[in-house]
Amino acid sequence: MPQDLAARALEHLDKRRGAMFELLERFVRCESPSGDPNALKEVLSLLEESFVDRRFESQVITGKSSGGMLLAMPKGRQRHRPHQLILGHCDTVWPIGTLNTMPARTDEEGTFWGPGSYDMKAGLVQGLFAVEALEASGAGPLPVTPVFFINSDEEIGSHDSTRNIIRFARGADRCFVLEPSLGPNGSLKTARKGVGSFSITVRGVAAHAGLDPGKGASAILELSHIIQKLFALNDPDKGITVNVGTIDGGLSANVVAPQSTADVDVRVPTREDAERIERVIHALEAETPGTEVIVEGSVRRPPMERTPGNQRLWQLALQSADELGITIEQAAAGGGSDGNTTSLFAPTLDGLGAVGAGAHASNEHLVLDKMVERAALLARLLSLPPLDEAVPREV
């Protein structure tokens, strides 16, 4: 896609900004919490319709434990061409009825507010309009076929969809993730921490706290020791965080606690850190006589690291942004996404979605004008030749 076609794509998107904002509002008004299959069916249907309007073939893949997934690719695509994966999710953290207290609206400053708008329905809209702009600009069949995969369980760990994500990422030339950008400047995400979840159960022995305390073994006492060991694993300088988020246990105040549990969140910047922290947590042993420790869990979302392939893709994004007169920066995010998974198999660039703030918060919002330029940036990236042919230049 020559630079003049990139400019034409931006011009097309600027003329279509009204339609883009209208589709965003339709998506946001279609509430789609992760655990509601009927609601997710509705938003997947709207996505399918939107892809068909842009001459894409699409199909909904039935989920085993989720609301399903959508796969879309161009009609009449040429076989045996390399493919690029464009990844997103249509589920949100917001329950049905949230629009009553967080209505979808646009203020006088051109900021759009609404549940799920920033994370990440605006990114889905930008993806749709990016491919529309490519066709309208006369780009023709792309040298790398765009394949969209949109799941409906990302906010709850992508347990159902990860198998398919790996399937489409494996062998992909590159992957673009339509998650929201980071910070007020809209930085692209070239690194993400790995995310782990652990459940720790301590089993003890019940006894009357007044009559026979010596016959008991307190699970709560042992858990208190475990918690201190877990918090000692925190290393701010390395970016490692270990947080005991919830604890539970005991029967009543006059009973030596026979059981207690803790739920633990782990964030790590490298796979080496992930493996080490996993080993340490699973090796925890009881100090209190008569108790035992049972550990379950792992770092299920591996870190997205700044691999050579990921950094090469970032350099091409920097070059593409320069061609369009857009300023972009790269940053590392503490949260995980499905990009953590794809980065294991293909060069990945994340945060290509909305510019705004308030993910998972009552002030969720995005800057509408930024949708136009970010969709143009994605269009330019989708038009690039295979990575082994694309040579970044200094910008």
Side-chain angles (χ1 to χ4, degrees), residues 126-178:
Q126 289 169 205
L128 286 161
F129 276 84
V131 293
E132 175 188 303
L134 285 169
E135 182 173 4
S137 302
L142 298 179
V144 185
T145 301
V147 175
F148 284 79
F149 182 77
I150 300 168
N151 62 2
S152 66
D153 63 344
E154 193 276 341
E155 296 290 7
I156 54 175
S158 303
H159 300 292
D160 195 31
S161 57
T162 293
R163 179 176 58 86
N164 280 302
I165 291 170
I166 292 173
R167 172 189 166 197
F168 296 118
R170 195 186 299 275
D173 183 76
R174 62 222 182 200
C175 178
F176 300 113
V177 186
L178 301 179

Side-chain angles (χ1 to χ4, degrees), residues 247-272:
I247 57 173
D248 191 18
L251 298 176
S252 67
N254 64 350
V255 178
V256 177
Q259 184 164 309
S260 60
T261 60
D263 292 319
V264 186
D265 179 271
V266 172
R267 308 281 166 141
V268 287
T270 69
R271 295 179 68 182
E272 182 180 352

Side-chain angles (χ1 to χ4, degrees), residues 198 200 226-244 264-268 273 276-284:
F198 296 83
I200 297 177
I226 295 292
I227 288 171
Q228 293 179 67
K229 293 175 184 176
L230 290 167
F231 276 105
L233 295 173
N234 281 282
D235 190 334
D237 292 337
K238 288 187 176 180
I240 297 170
T241 60
V242 179
N243 182 63
V244 180
V264 186
D265 179 271
V266 172
R267 308 281 166 141
V268 287
D273 292 326
R276 179 178 63 83
I277 294 294
E278 273 191 8
R279 285 196 304 270
V280 171
I281 293 178
H282 277 280
L284 289 169

Side-chain angles (χ1 to χ4, degrees), residues 81-146:
R81 281 199 173 194
H83 74 276
Q84 54 191 324
L85 180 63
I86 305 96
L87 195 62
H89 67 87
C90 62
D91 61 321
T92 77
V93 300
W94 302 104
I96 297 292
T98 300
L99 284 170
N100 295 328
T101 55
M102 289 174 59
R105 61 184 179 89
T106 302
D107 65 21
E108 295 179 354
E109 297 179 352
T111 302
F112 184 93
W113 305 76
S117 57
Y118 175 63
D119 185 16
M120 58 160 279
K121 290 180 176 177
L124 300 178
V125 172
Q126 289 169 205
L128 286 161
F129 276 84
V131 293
E132 175 188 303
L134 285 169
E135 182 173 4
S137 302
L142 298 179
V144 185
T145 301

Side-chain angles (χ1 to χ4, degrees), residues 6-21 129 132-133 137 368-376:
R8 264 185 269 163
L10 180 59
E11 182 181 359
H12 171 84
L13 289 162
D14 190 50
K15 292 177 180 177
R16 292 278 288 162
R17 63 175 54 226
M20 186 183 296
F21 303 158
F129 276 84
E132 175 188 303
S137 302
L368 287 174
D369 282 345
K370 293 291 185 180
M371 290 185 68
V372 174
E373 64 179 43
R374 291 306 170 103

Side-chain angles (χ1 to χ4, degrees), residues 24-31 42 99 103-105 115 121:
L24 169 63
E25 185 163 347
R26 285 185 68 192
F27 274 125
V28 173
R29 291 190 180 280
C30 189
E31 294 180 289
E42 185 176 348
L99 284 170
R105 61 184 179 89
K121 290 180 176 177

